Amino acid sequence: MHVLVAVVVGLALAGSFLRSFVAGTPDIATAATVFCGIFVQAIPFLALGILVSGAVAAYVTPDRLARWLPRRPSAAILAAGVGGAALPGCECGSVPIARRLFGEGAVGAAALTFMLAAPAINPVVLVSTAVAFPGEPRMVAARCAASLLTALIMGALWARFGQPRWITRRMPHLHGHDGSRWTVFTEAARHDFLQASSYLVIGAAAAAALHIVVPEWVYDHLAGQLLLGIAVMALLAVILALCSEADAFVAASLSMLPLIPRLVFLVVGPAIDIKLFAMQVGMFGRAFAVRFAPVTFVVAVVVATGVGLLVVGNR
């Protein structure tokens, strides 16, 4: 927080110089316009998602979620996937909840299904996608269907092939739950805001840089090579590690690419990226993460591509 305040004050003091520099440099002006457009559009949905995530942390305990889940694996997987839409929040918050569901004896497959579905198909994410892609309702439907199907497939794969011995990390004690609900809410919201907004800044800056650093012929080549575009956007989703409540605006800014590679970007990002892999190692253990993450990546790419071809077409 101290670093953030210092940076804001420094930028405010240097505002006149920076404004003159941006106005006199066309490429920087273009990048600044793209960055501000993405950030301003995304921040309301990010703020809403953070408030909801804090409320979930304060009022919807993992113990209660575990009691709600059916005991049959197939029913639990389906309930967890659909239930993810009712509990919106950032993917960073879904990992600890999923880990605690493991610890409390809930069906492991359902916990993983919830971990993948909640940050990808909740109302905040779908509304932000609709705003980012005006006039493209099929993108919203395709993202919801592909993300839910990815979560259900991974849950089913864990139920069939998963081994409890891969879970080598114990669930840490949550000190925040010892205080009042207001304390839990404020701490969760503050943590999510600082973490999610930082990734939003990085993602918006990366998208802005792509507009001025990458030559036009590269985008023309990617636009004509569907498989190559899908591979590049899938890897970009893993590297950028954007918040699911703001990634649609970054994808929409890459209008030079077809819709299917951008759909893959939106499906892969909330399922697996660098920060999620690190969190899975910390919460579940390395043995789990090195098996779960690659399979999730492949499933998300294949499912998103197939759903994209059926729903949005090759546009």
Side-chain angles (χ1 to χ4, degrees), residues 83 87 102 109 129 178 290 292 294 300:
L87 294 175
F102 264 100
T129 305
D178 297 334
V290 297
F292 187 78

Side-chain angles (χ1 to χ4, degrees), residues 6 13 53 58 79 158 161 174 200 237 277:
L13 295 175
S53 178
W158 176 265
F161 302 104
L174 298 178
L200 173 59
F277 178 78

Side-chain angles (χ1 to χ4, degrees), residues 172-280:
H173 179 65
L174 298 178
H175 298 286
H177 288 282
D178 297 334
S180 65
R181 288 181 175 178
W182 174 251
T183 301
V184 175
F185 172 81
T186 54
E187 287 298 311
R190 181 182 62 85
H191 172 271
D192 289 352
F193 173 76
L194 291 176
Q195 186 165 21
S197 60
S198 64
Y199 285 112
L200 173 59
V201 170
I202 294 173
L210 290 175
H211 277 76
I212 62 174
V213 173
V214 181
E216 290 293 334
W217 64 265
V218 175
Y219 292 114
D220 294 337
H221 185 68
L222 289 177
Q225 300 290 331
L226 182 62
L227 293 180
L228 180 60
I230 290 172
V232 170
M233 291 300 288
L235 292 176
L236 195 63
V238 174
I239 295 172
L240 290 183
L242 295 177
C243 178
S244 61
E245 291 143 3
D247 58 359
F249 298 97
V250 176
S253 70
L254 302 175
S255 57
M256 68 289 295
L257 296 177
L259 289 178
I260 291 180
R262 288 187 281 171
L263 175 63
V264 171
F265 178 86
L266 296 178
V267 175
V268 171
I272 183 62
D273 56 33
I274 292 176
K275 72 175 186 297
L276 288 176
F277 178 78
M279 292 183 68
Q280 290 172 8

Side-chain angles (χ1 to χ4, degrees), residues 22 57 89 98-99 166-167 209 243 267 270-271 286 288 293 297:
V22 171
R99 178 62 187 93
W166 295 341
I167 311 298
C243 178
V267 175
R286 186 178 299 275
F288 169 86
F297 178 81

